[in-house]
Amino acid sequence: MAKTLQAVRGMNDILPGESSSWQYLEDTLREVVHAYGYQEIRLPLLEKTELFKRSIGEVTDIVEKEMYTFDDRNGDSLTLRPEGTASCVRACMQHGLLHNQVQRLWYAGPMFRHERPQKGRYRQFHQIGIEAFGMDGPDIDAEIIFMSARIWERLGLRDTVLQINSLGTPASREDYRAALVTYLRAHESGLDEDSLRRLQSNPLRILDSKNPDMQALIEAAPQLPDYLDDESRLHFAGLCALLDAAGIAYEVNPRLVRGLDYYSKTVFEWVTDQLGAQGTICAGGRYDGLVEYLGGKPTPAFGFAIGLERLLALLEAGNAKIPVSHPHVYLVLNGQQAVQHGMVFAEQLRSTLPGLRLQTNCGNGSFKSQFKRADRSGAGIALVMGDDEVAAGNVVLKSLRHETEQETLSQQHVAARINEIIDVN
Ligand code: ATP
Ligand code: MG
């Protein structure tokens, strides 16, 4: 027999037993971002490769080693999106959404990176992201961080720590870059292969290295905050004041960086120690230079992305109570008349109670086997219809979870009775 086909490594199916957790997460996130007036933007999964090369940067892990890139039938180089910001900026520019207006946007969906699959790191993973355009003050930075904090609170997550830093303006970062390069040159023998290459092209990225052998060297490097200019300091102080006022705790991490020139001022991450090495659940910051860099007018911008697989793992690690969506009612149908009549009765019930989740037994079966299915469905109530009930215009209502007497009801009173017992909305 042929071997059963398997999914691509690092790309996961989300099975029926898992999908209600995902829906709960997505619903909660959607509620929170809508509470701040953000609007959804839906973007293609494929873009021209050039977009990511230009926006994420040639000298990054993503572009150097992680992209799924291929030529399509016309010979155009396309890439499965590794993140959402580039597409979002492209769409906003293409459709004129950034002319004399601000935008508060969110997106969600799968991203693709060819990384080594492990816990919390997959080749297809999911993000929800926020992007705000046209606002240059620390107020929008704070609003977006408040929003992320509210998401953890809604989900009942406590073990998350906010780390912030300022990358300064591009001008102030030039001075820092020079100091960093001098330091790294003096310690060249301690650098790994990636870092040696980046010493030329993108030295700030070296601070972001995950190589444990380099951590001591990175710890001792010159620190960004010592090089900030007045404008950057003021912006950072403004953000800290707003976070303090809202009672949101944070740590300043001077080694938190983004390697590219169009990033500026605020960067932040939410981290947890509950997930091993893959501990960052949300990363974001200000990227005032990107729109101009891609050919638009100078436009301040701020955003973040949350990794949903890691967020879900964190929820599960904390034994959070994730609501599961079972049917409310299972309809047991015994006998030919009952099937004939019961299928239509079920339709009428669904019309009367639009929020009702009603599963009808299909495929016959004895009372015993139908009750087994009813129990397995997770429903709280069974409605039972045999040919006798059909003849009498009745239905029997039986609790599947409590030891209560069963009730015989006239069919037209069933909807009202269900409404009394459970909240179907
Ligand atoms: P890391 O340092 O863990 O590789 P990153 O800096 O590449 O993360 P971002 O590009 O900032 O990550 O993406 C934002 C978030 O998306 C991350 O904080 C993480 O939660 C999630 N994420 C990134 N890559 C993956 C992946 N391969 N699998 C699962 N989640 C991911
Ligand atoms: Mg990465």
Side-chain angles (χ1 to χ4, degrees), residues 334-347:
N334 198 260
Q336 216 185 340
Q337 288 298 316
V339 171
Q340 184 79 24
H341 190 87
M343 295 296 293
V344 177
F345 172 70
E347 285 305 296

Side-chain angles (χ1 to χ4, degrees), residues 302-323:
F302 193 99
F304 71 58
I306 296 174
L308 295 188
E309 280 79 2
R310 292 186 195 176
L311 192 53
L312 203 57
L314 189 57
L315 272 179
E316 283 161 3
N319 294 321
K321 212 171 142 21
I322 302 174

Side-chain angles (χ1 to χ4, degrees), residues 98 117 238 269 348 422:
L98 302 178
E269 286 188 2
Q348 288 162 351
I422 46 175

Side-chain angles (χ1 to χ4, degrees), residues 61-62 66 113 115 121 210:
D61 279 348
I62 293 182
E66 297 174 0
R113 298 184 193 178
E115 303 195 66
R121 197 174 289 285
K210 298 196 172 62

